[in-house]
């Protein structure tokens, strides 16, 4: 029988549901509940998705803030592209911008100091994946996300774009250095 055919029994709603079907419904329901409660659980205990504030922003306004920060706190430049490295003051606002195909600028932060990290994209959707600690965030144009971050381990961290954003997506890498 297919769903295109009329039911064999006229009172089809009164036919008892098969045992196998009931088992599947029960399994699906339990799994739905597990997935549902994993969302708040993982948010509290998972470290992967940090709580954020969100504001509307335009690319022009955001770029101005990024440039102002670079002008004030640039410590050096890296690579052939001469990407600035910024060491913002303790507890300060840090503006990081995603664009095709770059994280701009690069950052030098201090261990155990809390910063306000601002994040947006000035073109389209990018993904902020911080390696090797596996922090994952969506970077959405038009919205400025603000996160309170406290690096707890010194070292070199790489920002990988994990949201496909075009032909050079795989080259979209950024750096954060955390110093003791
Ligand atoms: Cu940006 Cu992929």
């Amino acid at each position: 029988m297919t769903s295109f055919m009329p039911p064999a029994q006229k009172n089809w709603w009164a036919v008892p549901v098969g045992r196998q079907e009931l088992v599947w419904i029960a399994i699906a329901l339990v799994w739905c509940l597990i997935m549902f409660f994993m969302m708040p659980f993982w948010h509290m205990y998972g470290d992967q998705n940090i709580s954020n504030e969100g504001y509307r922003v335009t690319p022009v306004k955001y770029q101005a803030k990024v440039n102002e920060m670079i002008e004030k706190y640039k410590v050096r430049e890296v690579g052939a592209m001469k990407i600035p490295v910024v060491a913002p003051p303790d507890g300060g606002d840090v503006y990081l911008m995603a664009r095709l195909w770059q994280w701009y600028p690069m950052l030098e932060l201090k261990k155990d100091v809390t910063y306000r990290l601002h994040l947006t994209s000035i073109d389209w959707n990018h993904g902020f994946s911080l390696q090797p600690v596996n922090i994952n965030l969506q970077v959405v144009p038009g919205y400025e996300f603000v996160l309170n971050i406290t690096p707890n381990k010194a070292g070199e961290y790489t920002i990988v774009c994990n949201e496909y954003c075009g032909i050079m997506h795989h080259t979209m890498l950024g750096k954060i250095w955390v110093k003791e």
Side-chain angles (χ1 to χ4, degrees):
M1 190 178 104
T2 75
S3 53
F4 296 111
M5 291 162 72
Q9 252 178 281
K10 218 172 176 190
N11 62 339
W12 54 268
W13 62 87
V15 176
V17 180
R19 205 185 134 77
Q20 277 185 333
E21 200 168 353
L22 281 176
V23 170
W24 277 116
I25 291 169
I27 291 171
L29 181 68
V30 169
W31 187 241
C32 282
L33 290 171
I34 290 172
M35 298 295 271
F36 180 78
F37 287 107
M38 273 307 281
M39 288 192 282
F41 175 81
W42 203 243
H43 182 75
M44 310 277 276
Y45 302 103
D47 296 341
Q48 227 174 345
N49 308 104
I50 308 169
S51 302
N52 66 274
E53 300 155 41
Y55 307 96
R56 291 303 299 239
V57 76
T58 63
V60 175
K61 266 191 193 167
Y62 195 83
Q63 254 172 318
K65 288 188 211 172
V66 172
N67 291 337
E68 194 190 319
M69 177 190 72
I70 292 169
E71 235 169 74
K72 277 192 194 159
Y73 305 116
K74 186 170 90 171
V75 285
R76 60 177 191 276
E77 286 168 342
V78 288
M81 306 267 287
K82 295 202 167 198
I83 298 178
V85 179
V86 173
D90 293 6
D93 290 283
V94 185
Y95 295 92
L96 182 62
M97 176 168 82
R99 63 181 174 197
L100 301 171
W101 287 277
Q102 215 176 39
W103 296 98
Y104 188 87
M106 299 198 181
L107 304 171
E108 205 176 271
L109 306 178
K110 284 188 206 155
K111 190 182 161 235
D112 298 328
V113 172
T114 301
Y115 298 89
R116 289 196 33 99
L117 176 66
H118 300 245
L119 258 178
T120 196
S121 161
I122 58 158
D123 35 53
W124 58 65
N125 208 157
H126 298 280
F128 176 101
S129 171
L130 191 65
Q131 301 297 333
V133 286
N134 195 21
I135 288 172
N136 275 287
L137 306 157
Q138 289 283 321
V139 186
V140 184
Y143 289 92
E144 180 173 345
F145 298 105
V146 189
L147 313 136
N148 292 313
I149 57 153
T150 313
N152 56 5
K153 215 176 143 197
E156 186 181 315
Y157 296 84
T158 303
I159 309 165
V160 178
C161 180
N162 64 358
E163 199 64 57
Y164 183 70
C165 57
I167 191 81
M168 298 294 277
H169 156 74
H170 61 287
T171 66
M172 191 168 160
L173 302 169
K175 282 279 178 212
I176 298 177
W177 290 274
V178 175
K179 297 197 158 179
E180 287 283 351

